[in-house]
Amino acid sequence: MRNTLRTLVILILVVGTLPGAAGASEPVFDARDVPVTIRTYQGPFLTPAHHRSALAIATEILKAAGLGVQWRICEDGIAQDSDPCSAPLGPNELAIRFARQPLPPNYRGPLPLGYAVVDTQARSGSLATIYVDRVDRLARDSGTRTDALLGRSIAHEIGHLLLGTTSHTPTGLMRAIWSSKALQRNQAGDWLFTPHDARSMRDALFLDQH
Ligand SMILES: [Zn+2]
């Protein structure tokens, strides 16, 4: 990726109440879902239970946008040549890594939970990072579920990668600020992609395939 075109997209969330997310049952994909493969590099920062549940929640959000996600679980570190995790990303393949980045003591203000590296000129991206410790802190401070916040954050960053933009929308999952008021309101539409963004993501994946 060209450094000059890289733009860091910061997802800013504000402490608030996050009511329970949808259940983590396995969604059923159909032929109309546009396939996308997403690798995750979780390192030592996520418990298996949180990892599994967060991916299920992200899967549901992306499915509602018409995307059929296949997760490829990778470990940080050196992989064997035969390991698919050691291969370059293929068409319609993205990557999420989970990391930690502690905030300075007595930090106040918006809480960036992660970022996506986006080539805004080519309108594409392939790698996003989620700061697990910040998600955990926000969930703990707001008395909400870490896995739900993780799943929604993952889907938001995938949105940036597929939309190839640093911008946000005034409504829906791609809002820049997840305010306490909105979190407490917990309207379903606040945690889904807008129809326009969903269509744009499907179009981006379709163009990658043809
Ligand atoms: Zn964002």
Side-chain angles (χ1 to χ4, degrees), residues 163-177:
L163 295 168
T165 177
T166 61
S167 62
H168 293 92
T169 54
T171 61
L173 186 73
M174 294 309 291
R175 303 186 318 282
I177 305 292

Side-chain angles (χ1 to χ4, degrees), residues 50-73:
H50 274 164
H51 185 248
R52 190 166 49 247
S53 181
L55 296 193
I57 290 165
T59 298
E60 290 185 352
I61 295 171
L62 293 163
K63 175 171 174 51
L67 308 186
V69 180
Q70 179 180 2
W71 300 97
R72 177 168 290 161
I73 310 304

Side-chain angles (χ1 to χ4, degrees), residues 13 30 40 42 51 56 70 75 116-117 121 159 170 206:
L13 304 181
D30 61 44
T40 70
Q42 71 266 34
H51 185 248
Q70 179 180 2
E75 300 292 341
V117 182
Q121 194 167 74
F206 182 81

Side-chain angles (χ1 to χ4, degrees), residues 5 9 26 31 34 42 54 57 76-77 89 98 128 144 153 197 203:
L5 295 177
V9 181
E26 282 292 316
V34 180
Q42 71 266 34
I57 290 165
D76 282 344
L89 292 174
F98 299 100
T144 57
S153 300
D197 282 346
D203 287 347

Side-chain angles (χ1 to χ4, degrees), residues 6-206:
R6 285 182 177 178
T7 304
L8 301 185
V9 181
I10 296 177
L11 167 61
I12 299 172
L13 304 181
V14 177
V15 173
T17 300
L18 179 66
S25 58
E26 282 292 316
V28 177
F29 297 119
D30 61 44
R32 291 169 297 180
D33 292 327
V34 180
V36 58
T37 301
I38 303 174
R39 293 187 197 180
T40 70
Y41 295 88
Q42 71 266 34
F45 308 121
L46 273 179
T47 66
H50 274 164
H51 185 248
R52 190 166 49 247
S53 181
L55 296 193
I57 290 165
T59 298
E60 290 185 352
I61 295 171
L62 293 163
K63 175 171 174 51
L67 308 186
V69 180
Q70 179 180 2
W71 300 97
R72 177 168 290 161
I73 310 304
C74 299
E75 300 292 341
D76 282 344
I78 299 173
Q80 302 291 328
D81 287 346
S82 59
D83 187 338
C85 293
S86 67
L89 292 174
N92 283 4
E93 188 169 14
L94 309 172
I96 292 273
R97 71 185 181 108
F98 299 100
R100 294 172 59 88
Q101 189 172 81
L103 293 163
N106 304 318
Y107 176 86
R108 297 178 65 86
L111 186 63
L113 295 186
Y115 66 93
V117 182
V118 176
D119 182 335
T120 54
Q121 194 167 74
R123 298 186 71 82
S124 69
S126 57
L127 174 65
T129 298
I130 303 288
Y131 297 126
V132 175
D133 52 336
R134 297 183 183 185
V135 172
D136 196 40
R137 169 177 156 169
L138 177 57
R140 188 173 58 249
D141 288 351
S142 58
T144 57
R145 288 170 46 183
T146 297
D147 58 345
L149 205 47
L150 269 173
R152 291 167 173 176
S153 300
I154 291 167
H156 179 102
E157 298 302 342
I158 293 297
H160 276 303
L161 296 178
L162 290 176
L163 295 168
T165 177
T166 61
S167 62
H168 293 92
T169 54
T171 61
L173 186 73
M174 294 309 291
R175 303 186 318 282
I177 305 292
W178 294 355
S179 69
S180 295
K181 187 177 179 180
L183 288 164
Q184 290 163 359
R185 194 168 56 233
N186 197 36
Q187 289 185 342
D190 284 346
W191 310 110
L192 296 171
F193 291 98
T194 64
H196 178 271
D197 282 346
R199 186 167 52 251
S200 296
M201 292 192 298
R202 293 195 302 272
D203 287 347
L205 289 166
F206 182 81

